[in-house]
Amino acid sequence: MTLREALGGRWATHWLLWLAFYPPTTAIIMIRESTTPYPDWWWPLLSATVQHVIAGVIIVGGGILARRWRPMLPVALVAALWGASSLARAFVGSAVAETVAGVPGDLVFRAATWIVMTLAWGPALVYGIAQIDRRRALIGELEAAKRSLDAAVTAAAESGEAIRARLARTIRRSVAPVLDDLRERLVTVRQDLDRAAFVEISMRMSSLHDETADLVESTNPAARPSAVSRRASLREVFDVHLVRPWLTAGVVTMQTLAIMLPDGARIFGELAAVEIVLATVVGGVVLGSVMTVCESWPLFRRVRASSVTLAAAGSAIVATSWVILHSGIDPITWHGAIMLPVLGGGLLAACTVVIASIVIARANEDDERTIREVHGRIDRLVAENESALELERHRLSELMHGPVQGRIAACVMALSFFSADDTAPGALASITEQVLEHLAAASHDLSLLAEGRPPNGGA
């Protein structure tokens, strides 16, 4: 999956992504409007809801319209939709603040902060979700490919004699019931010496002779192995060990600051901004340290990667919370209490998105390459098995030509000759006994072939 495929794919304008944005954007707006003198508490909530609905109309509605012509949207168009939604949020928030609260709308600040947050989060979030969705399918595809490879290896290890016997068993399942039915039919009609019945049996034997030859050429029980894939769980998706934990921690820190710093500095002042920066950096350091320790110590390498990631993120949130509430940089404690939920949630969300964008994307590339290699090996094994199968078809055809097909052909000629109207009844009865013996011998030889043993000989 390329960057363009991810950013122009369905997740860029998906309604689920828009819906998932409602709680965090509402929390940001509630903090932003906490110092705006609205007449009632619910005005910021109403403003946030209206902003989100309009943003959804632009992103989701615009995406639906655009995908009528192009299933894969250009990245520039996706950027235009997300940029327009940011400006719409700024205009609505500014208009509500000026109209209802009677304060300056700060349109430039609102527009700038929404654009910065969109740039910091939009591409990474869309790309990360697309990679998570792709990995859920890739894990199942890789498992299915490995099962198919095991089946192909097993088939390729089968000996020529075993392939020939398997082909013969398949043919026997089709031919033996017909032979038994013809023998029973001959035993029934030989008492009446009904020449019409003998003619009918002769025609059926002739048809069976031709069908037997066709079965040898067409039977192919060694079809290409296939396996049904599944969609993996989210925990399996995040079971990927981090190769560069400090890079992950650094990007998480920057994304978290993009959410909190602009509004925190504007609303609560410089000291609160310093506290936000310090708390976020400390959280990033703890995040990187825990992931590094867990990756370097052999004891922790046996732990599931998703558990390590969750523990690292939890430790980072605890450290961030302690700094916000106990650093003393900003003497007003309630500032930190208001910002803490958004800061902790932002750090957790940033950790998830960054791991999906960097780590899971790399794991997807590795798995896609592995799947291609596995399918290439399967193709080679299947080609080798088909060559062996064709050789054993030819050998089986030669083995069946005399013992089985030769006997059936002899029975057809005998019945055709002796079932004429001027044939003596004694001769017809005699040849019937011989035909029954040939049919029994053909059935026996077919059983020997199915058991992998050479038949007794031709007719």
Side-chain angles (χ1 to χ4, degrees):
M1 179 184 294
T2 64
L3 182 63
R4 181 185 179 279
E5 289 172 340
L7 297 183
R10 66 189 185 99
W11 284 108
T13 58
H14 202 285
W15 66 270
L16 277 176
L17 181 60
W18 164 76
L19 191 62
F21 264 132
Y22 180 68
T25 55
T26 300
I28 291 172
I29 292 172
M30 295 296 287
I31 292 177
R32 176 174 295 174
E33 305 295 351
S34 60
T35 58
T36 306
Y38 282 106
D40 296 292
W41 67 269
W42 46 264
W43 276 107
L45 181 60
L46 178 62
S47 176
T49 303
V50 172
Q51 292 179 42
H52 199 69
V53 170
I54 293 176
V57 171
I58 295 173
I59 295 175
V60 180
I64 292 174
L65 291 176
R67 291 185 197 280
R68 291 184 177 181
W69 291 274
R70 300 187 64 174
M72 181 65 65
L73 299 182
V75 176
L77 177 58
V78 175
L81 293 174
W82 281 77
S85 70
S86 299
L87 294 177
R89 286 181 180 277
F91 277 110
V92 172
S94 176
V96 173
E98 291 179 354
T99 304
V100 178
V103 297
D106 293 331
L107 177 60
V108 174
F109 172 80
R110 293 175 187 272
T113 53
W114 280 120
I115 290 174
V116 168
M117 283 188 280
T118 299
L119 287 174
W121 279 86
L125 189 61
V126 172
Y127 184 72
I129 292 177
Q131 291 291 354
I132 290 173
D133 189 54
R134 177 64 180 137
R135 181 150 187 81
R136 292 189 66 189
L138 272 179
I139 291 174
E141 290 177 16
L142 183 58
E143 292 175 351
K146 290 181 178 179
R147 289 195 299 269
S148 297
L149 178 60
D150 292 339
V153 169
T154 302
E158 192 176 23
S159 65
E161 291 79 6
I163 293 175
R164 195 184 318 141
R166 183 153 48 83
L167 286 171
R169 286 195 298 270
T170 303
I171 295 171
R172 183 174 181 271
R173 285 194 294 268
S174 300
V175 175
V178 182
L179 286 176
D180 294 339
D181 182 65
L182 287 172
R183 290 167 58 193
E184 293 175 3
R185 178 71 171 150
L186 270 176
V187 171
T188 301
V189 302
R190 71 177 175 176
Q191 304 298 330
D192 300 331
L193 298 179
D194 184 354
R195 285 181 172 81
F198 280 92
V199 171
E200 177 191 348
I201 293 172
S202 175
M203 293 177 63
R204 289 185 62 189
M205 282 191 184
S206 177
S207 176
L208 177 63
H209 178 271
D210 297 336
E211 291 172 0
T212 304
D214 293 339
L215 279 171
V216 175
E217 297 300 324
S218 63
T219 301
N220 183 17
R224 180 186 177 92
S226 61
V228 178
S229 62
R230 66 179 180 90
R231 286 185 65 81
S233 65
L234 286 177
R235 181 163 188 176
E236 291 176 285
V237 168
F238 283 92
D239 272 335
V240 181
H241 290 280
L242 302 180
V243 178
R244 298 177 180 177
W246 287 110
L247 174 63
T248 301
V251 179
V252 168
T253 301
M254 297 304 296
Q255 282 199 310
T256 307
L257 286 175
I259 296 177
M260 293 302 303
L261 190 57
D263 285 305
R266 171 178 172 268
I267 297 171
F268 302 122
E270 295 180 358
L271 293 179
V274 173
E275 195 171 62
I276 290 171
V277 172
L278 178 63
T280 306
V281 170
V282 169
V285 170
V286 171
L287 179 68
S289 300
V290 173
M291 290 189 294
T292 301
V293 168
C294 291
E295 287 298 320
S296 60
W297 286 10
L299 178 63
F300 289 104
R301 288 180 182 176
R302 294 191 292 269
V303 180
R304 296 188 65 163
S306 58
S307 300
V308 171
T309 302
L310 188 61
S315 301
I317 292 174
V318 170
T320 300
S321 303
W322 190 92
V323 173
I324 281 288
L325 297 178
H326 297 90
S327 68
I329 296 175
D330 183 3
I332 305 177
T333 306
W334 68 268
H335 289 175
I338 290 178
M339 293 184 295
L340 186 58
V342 177
L343 186 58
L347 196 149
L348 182 61
C351 185
T352 303
V353 170
V354 171
I355 289 175
S357 302
I358 298 177
V359 183
I360 292 179
R362 176 186 53 80
N364 285 350
E365 292 178 0
D366 294 341
D367 285 351
E368 286 173 347
R369 182 168 53 252
T370 302
I371 289 173
R372 288 194 297 270
E373 294 172 354
V374 169
H375 281 307
R377 189 178 176 191
I378 291 174
D379 291 338
R380 291 191 296 271
L381 289 172
V382 168
E384 294 172 2
N385 196 40
E386 287 178 351
S387 298
L389 184 64
E390 185 62 31
L391 176 61
E392 295 309 322
R393 277 204 203 101
H394 179 69
R395 291 176 178 175
L396 180 62
S397 177
E398 291 180 342
L399 288 173
M400 288 188 63
H401 183 72
V404 180
Q405 292 172 285
R407 293 185 191 277
I408 295 175
C411 293
V412 172
M413 288 188 294
L415 285 177
S416 300
F417 181 77
F418 287 99
S419 59
D421 292 337
D422 56 351
T423 304
L428 187 57
S430 175
I431 200 63
T432 300
E433 295 297 333
Q434 296 179 30
V435 169
L436 286 172
E437 292 176 4
H438 277 298
L439 290 178
S443 181
H444 177 68
D445 289 339
L446 189 59
S447 298
L448 291 177
L449 283 172
E451 294 171 3
R453 293 186 290 167
N456 296 328

